[in-house]
Amino acid sequence: MDILQEKLRRTVPDAEKTINTYLAEKGAEELIGGVTKYTPVSNWEKKHAKNSMPYKAKPGNLRVNISTKPEYGYLYFPDAGEGTSSKNPVHEGFMQDGVESVYENVVNGLLEAVERIL
């Protein structure tokens, strides 16, 4: 029992570091890709945010926040179904849909990363 407790004590900090590293790198990349895939594109003839890498990741402890870069802050409004996008329900929840589309892959990647250190 003492050996198990010692291994767990040593593994927890390693697991935390492994999770943080995975989320900051591969997890963030995959989440941004998922959200970008679901980002709506208007019919206007202009450069669209979807093709401009509008999202950024901010890693934290055991988490990563995906948000827009300042010049693309307006993307939050279509996600909430506000503004001119309120007439287009397809736009509602696109950020959540994007995260959900890659959620399983991110979780599996986390599990694999943690299993490698055990």
Side-chain angles (χ1 to χ4, degrees):
M1 188 66 160
D2 291 335
I3 295 170
L4 178 59
Q5 287 177 332
E6 179 60 24
K7 282 186 177 184
L8 286 174
R9 187 184 66 72
R10 283 186 300 194
T11 302
V12 170
D14 290 342
E16 184 175 343
K17 181 179 177 185
T18 299
I19 290 168
N20 286 334
T21 300
Y22 179 85
L23 287 175
E25 296 170 2
K26 294 178 184 173
E29 182 181 317
E30 197 153 345
L31 290 165
I32 287 173
V35 171
T36 300
K37 180 180 174 185
Y38 282 82
T39 300
V41 175
S42 71
N43 294 329
W44 292 13
E45 292 296 322
K46 63 174 188 155
K47 182 177 178 182
H48 294 287
K50 182 174 186 168
N51 305 320
S52 304
M53 299 174 53
Y55 303 105
K56 64 180 179 176
K58 182 178 179 186
N61 190 38
L62 302 177
R63 66 180 167 79
V64 62
N65 291 336
I66 305 298
S67 62
T68 58
K69 294 176 182 174
E71 60 269 30
Y72 299 103
Y74 64 87
L75 289 174
Y76 283 114
F77 300 113
D79 194 49
E82 298 176 5
T84 56
S85 293
S86 63
K87 298 173 190 75
N88 189 348
V90 172
H91 293 178
E92 279 189 59
F94 76 88
M95 288 185 168
Q96 183 67 34
D97 293 342
V99 169
E100 288 174 2
S101 74
V102 296
Y103 178 80
E104 190 173 319
N105 291 342
V106 172
V107 170
N108 288 336
L110 277 170
L111 292 174
E112 290 172 12
V114 170
E115 284 177 3
R116 283 193 292 270
I117 65 165
L118 296 179

